[in-house]
Amino acid sequence: NAGVTQTPKFQVLKTGQSMTLQCAQDMNHEYMSWYRQDPGMGLRLIHYSVGAGITDQGEVPNGYNVSRSTTEDFPLRLLSAAPSQTSVYFCASSSGTGMYQPQHFGDGTRLSIL
Amino acid sequence: AQSVTQPDIHITVSEGASLELRCNYSYGATPYLFWYVQSPGQGLQLLLKYFSGDTLVQGIKGFEAEFKRSQSSFNLRKPSVHWSDAAEYFCAAWVSSNTGKLIFGQGTTLQVKP
């Protein structure tokens, strides 16, 4: 059982480049989300989705796009990478959309923007 | 503003000693509370959760946490720390059941001395 799979694990980009961080889960979870983790700031929610075709913004959505065409996949797109987006990105999923369900996290994507 | 605060950025304890990690929340109503642990290079793993009922909750790996409404706290404890407990610990709270926004504290890094 793979759980939540994130690819790539590491990536280096130049300022202005675009890229997509992939996230897939095999648990048939309705709820998926993206966080970024920065030193001393914990995890901050970027975007989330409560089901296929439904997405919404979190705390720090600027510079990122998401879509949810299937239950399994929830890619995060950086439109024009900036050094401030250097971070570790985590995808998470949970069953249902309520507060009762714990999040299952991927192992993260470490992204550096030069 | 609604927030989760972990006052201690870094804690060092000796192996076998007891541990308490602090977490305070700032919400109008009682949020749903979680503790997660993150080992280096890994994603987050759920240790325990509090929704309602008994204010002392047991989790995995011998951890427990106590919810104190009067102090707006949800501190994590372990009677005897093992070297393998060295990790970063995050307290988190759900903001709203409809939008499913999980808000994290800044994290506490635990170092265990032999």
Side-chain angles (χ1 to χ4, degrees), chain A residues 18-36:
Chain A
S18 63
M19 81 159 293
T20 300
L21 308 185
Q22 302 292 343
C23 175
Q25 52 91 8
D26 61 359
M27 297 172 283
N28 202 32
H29 284 170
E30 297 176 39
Y31 180 89
M32 296 185 74
S33 56
W34 276 102
Y35 293 86
R36 59 176 291 172

Side-chain angles (χ1 to χ4, degrees), chain B residues 12-75:
Chain B
T12 301
V13 300
S14 297
E15 190 169 17
S18 63
L19 171 70
E20 182 170 32
L21 302 182
R22 296 184 290 164
C23 173
N24 295 98
Y25 64 90
S26 173
Y27 294 95
T30 300
Y32 293 79
L33 298 162
F34 304 83
W35 274 99
Y36 285 87
V37 61
Q38 183 182 32
S39 298
Q42 302 294 314
L44 280 70
Q45 180 184 21
L46 180 69
L47 282 175
L48 47 78
K49 60 192 178 194
Y50 172 76
F51 293 153
S52 64
D54 192 348
T55 57
L56 184 64
V57 294
Q58 302 296 321
I60 62 171
K61 304 185 180 186
F63 284 92
E64 66 178 25
E66 185 172 13
F67 170 67
K68 293 185 176 180
R69 186 189 306 274
S70 61
Q71 299 177 18
S72 298
S73 69
F74 187 57
N75 295 349

Side-chain angles (χ1 to χ4, degrees), chain A:
Chain A
N1 190 353
V4 178
T5 302
Q6 291 184 237
T7 56
K9 293 190 184 300
F10 302 92
Q11 184 70 49
V12 178
L13 292 178
K14 295 181 180 179
T15 298
Q17 287 185 314
S18 63
M19 81 159 293
T20 300
L21 308 185
Q22 302 292 343
C23 175
Q25 52 91 8
D26 61 359
M27 297 172 283
N28 202 32
H29 284 170
E30 297 176 39
Y31 180 89
M32 296 185 74
S33 56
W34 276 102
Y35 293 86
R36 59 176 291 172
Q37 183 179 23
D38 302 292
M41 303 189 74
L43 277 75
R44 292 180 291 169
L45 182 65
I46 304 171
H47 285 285
Y48 64 97
S49 168
V50 299
I54 306 170
T55 63
D56 205 346
Q57 297 181 350
E59 298 174 79
V60 289
N62 293 340
Y64 307 95
N65 272 359
V66 292
S67 60
R68 183 93 179 271
S69 56
T70 67
T71 299
E72 295 78 19
D73 300 299
F74 190 45
L76 178 72
R77 297 182 188 86
L78 280 69
L79 308 174
S80 178
S84 61
Q85 294 177 304
T86 293
S87 186
V88 181
Y89 291 84
F90 287 98
C91 179
S93 73
S94 65
S95 58
T97 58
M99 64 185 81
Y100 300 98
Q101 309 303 328
Q103 301 282 298
H104 297 258
F105 285 84
D107 287 339
T109 294
R110 286 146 185 82
L111 182 62
S112 293
I113 315 295
L114 305 178

